[in-house]
């Protein structure tokens, strides 16, 4: 079975039992399973359930924090705290 991929996978191809990279490196199904297993175990050690959760945590760490404070202005003035 020969298949050439497109879009994000452009340059990669499927040749028999091997996924072949752009630079000609051949990967078997077993090798891919091993890489995925290792990735899963590394995420597990870091405390994440999935790659998606890890990426979301990374994005959340870089987002600016926003704090919203709501004050009832009438009560604020009534207690005499506001500066005149």
């Amino acid at each position: 079975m020969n298949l050439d991929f497109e879009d994000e996978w452009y340059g990669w191809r499927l040749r028999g039992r091997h996924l072949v990279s752009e630079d000609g490196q051949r990967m078997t199904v077993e090798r891919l399973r091993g890489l995925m297993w290792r990735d899963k175990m590394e995420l597990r050690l870091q405390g994440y359930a999935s790659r998606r959760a890890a990426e979301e945590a990374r994005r959340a760490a870089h987002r600016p924090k926003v704090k919203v404070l709501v004050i009832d202005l009438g009560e604020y003035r009534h207690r005499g705290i506001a500066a005149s």
Side-chain angles (χ1 to χ4, degrees), residues 4-5 9-15 18-28 32:
D4 294 333
F5 295 110
W9 287 84
Y10 182 77
W12 288 75
R13 52 202 182 275
L14 193 59
R15 297 292 185 259
H18 295 93
L19 180 63
V20 183
S21 69
E22 297 172 305
D23 60 355
Q25 184 179 5
R26 295 176 168 268
M27 302 179 85
T28 63
L32 289 172

Side-chain angles (χ1 to χ4, degrees), residues 25-61:
Q25 184 179 5
R26 295 176 168 268
M27 302 179 85
T28 63
V29 173
E30 293 80 17
R31 174 75 175 138
L32 289 172
R33 283 187 186 135
L35 290 171
M36 293 176 74
W37 178 85
R38 179 180 176 161
D39 185 52
K40 181 179 176 183
M41 293 301 117
E42 287 176 356
L43 289 172
R44 201 173 196 194
L45 284 173
Q46 295 172 7
Y48 297 110
S50 67
R51 170 67 49 202
R52 183 177 293 168
E55 290 173 358
E56 179 60 33
R58 184 182 51 84
R59 281 192 297 272

Side-chain angles (χ1 to χ4, degrees), residues 62-75:
H62 295 296
R63 272 188 235 139
K65 304 276 190 247
V66 176
K67 186 176 238 178
V68 177
L69 181 63
V70 179
I71 299 173
D72 184 3
L73 191 56
E75 186 176 325

